[in-house]
Amino acid sequence: MNVLKTIAHLNELTEETANDYYLLPEIKGTLHEEDIIHRLEAKEIATKNVNGPAFVRIFHRECALAISEGYNVVTGMFHATIGLKGVVHAKDLGHHLPAGQVSIHTGLIQGEYAREALKDLTIGVAEQPAPTGPVIQSVTNPVTDLPDTLNTGEMVLLQGMRLAVRGDKPDEIGVFFTYEDEVTVVRVPATHLSPNTPKKLQFVLPAAVSAGNWKVKVATQMTTNPKKFTENVREYEYPNTITVI
């Protein structure tokens, strides 16, 4: 486990609190792309027998590890450094702080590659805005909070954008579950959704949605004006398969 060395500075702006400090990370130096690759080579996992996507993931993980050790990391795409937010008190000085006592984050700014790519970017504007519909970002049981896993007869929480199920075609809108046989379809009508908002839909999983694998879809005519609906029903099918247990 890495220990991030920090320097405590007396916080002179909080007159009502005595002996409180803010922390600044002790930066060891700056690593560039070739330095990260050298770190990987030292671990014998640089490019040997590693495909492109895997190497990209390994490279970024090594960047994150270097940042956690107190290095700044500079690549063509981003410049990254570690940051701290929070205060400690005199009694904490000279000790290792447990995780969570202060907030640790990574600050990112765009690198030269990003600046170069965006510098002369031409913006194309469509004559008419493209229609937008619902987007499901997650499906969970709000009690267990397990992603893409639901329990028969228990609550379901859909989160995303433009999800509110509203419209003047009640038989065509709602939340639809399609079984893996692609024949069985179960609809949850708008009247069974609470809350029924653009960001959240919650309801009890119908008994007809039995154990197995299902796809879930939202169909709605919602617009930003609650009193107006789109002419056609807009649909979005969640890309992941939902497992009901």
Side-chain angles (χ1 to χ4, degrees):
M1 180 183 298
N2 291 330
V3 175
L4 178 67
K5 293 184 178 180
T6 64
I7 302 171
H9 294 265
L10 184 63
N11 190 349
E12 298 179 351
L13 298 179
T14 54
E15 298 179 357
E16 70 282 359
T17 304
N19 295 325
D20 64 319
Y21 297 77
Y22 62 93
L23 303 178
L24 291 179
E26 187 177 303
I27 300 301
K28 296 179 179 179
T30 298
L31 301 180
H32 296 267
E33 290 169 343
E34 59 270 21
D35 300 308
I36 299 296
I37 293 173
H38 289 158
R39 286 169 59 107
L40 292 173
E41 288 174 341
K43 298 178 180 179
E44 299 182 351
I45 56 172
T47 57
K48 184 179 180 181
N49 299 323
V50 179
N51 63 25
F55 179 73
V56 171
R57 290 192 293 271
I58 292 170
F59 179 85
H60 285 147
R61 287 195 184 103
E62 193 65 27
C63 287
L65 180 60
I67 294 166
S68 75
E69 294 173 2
Y71 288 99
N72 291 332
V73 173
V74 176
T75 74
M77 185 61 193
F78 60 82
H79 298 178
T81 188
I82 196 166
L84 300 167
K85 185 177 181 180
V87 298
V88 297
H89 298 88
K91 62 181 178 63
D92 299 312
L93 302 184
H95 303 286
H96 289 170
L97 301 180
Q101 184 164 334
V102 295
S103 173
I104 307 174
H105 63 272
T106 302
L108 296 173
I109 62 173
Q110 62 183 356
E112 60 179 312
Y113 297 164
R115 289 195 299 271
E116 184 66 25
L118 302 178
K119 181 176 63 176
D120 299 319
L121 190 64
T122 299
I123 306 299
V125 181
E127 185 176 348
Q128 293 181 339
T132 57
V135 176
I136 304 171
Q137 295 174 321
S138 67
V139 179
T140 59
N141 177 331
V143 177
T144 63
D145 203 32
L146 292 175
D148 304 336
T149 303
L150 303 178
N151 300 76
T152 54
E154 295 188 11
M155 296 300 296
V156 181
L157 175 62
L158 272 59
Q159 298 187 83
M161 300 180 293
R162 300 178 292 275
L163 291 178
V165 176
R166 297 195 290 259
D168 55 10
K169 300 178 180 179
D171 295 335
E172 299 180 32
I173 62 176
V175 179
F176 293 81
F177 286 84
T178 302
Y179 191 57
E180 55 190 331
D181 61 6
E182 298 185 355
V183 175
T184 305
V185 179
V186 179
R187 183 174 72 94
V188 182
T191 53
H192 290 190
L193 306 175
S194 180
N196 180 2
T197 69
K199 293 185 178 181
K200 290 183 179 182
L201 302 177
Q202 187 163 305
F203 53 94
V204 176
L205 191 65
V209 181
S210 56
N213 296 320
W214 297 76
K215 300 295 288 186
V216 62
K217 176 180 71 175
V218 169
T220 181
Q221 295 171 269
M222 78 153 287
T223 68
T224 54
N225 185 340
K227 297 182 179 180
K228 293 184 177 180
F229 308 129
T230 59
E231 181 179 353
N232 298 316
V233 175
R234 295 175 179 175
E235 301 180 345
Y236 180 89
E237 185 174 85
Y238 186 56
N240 299 349
T241 298
I242 303 302
T243 300
V244 177
I245 57 178

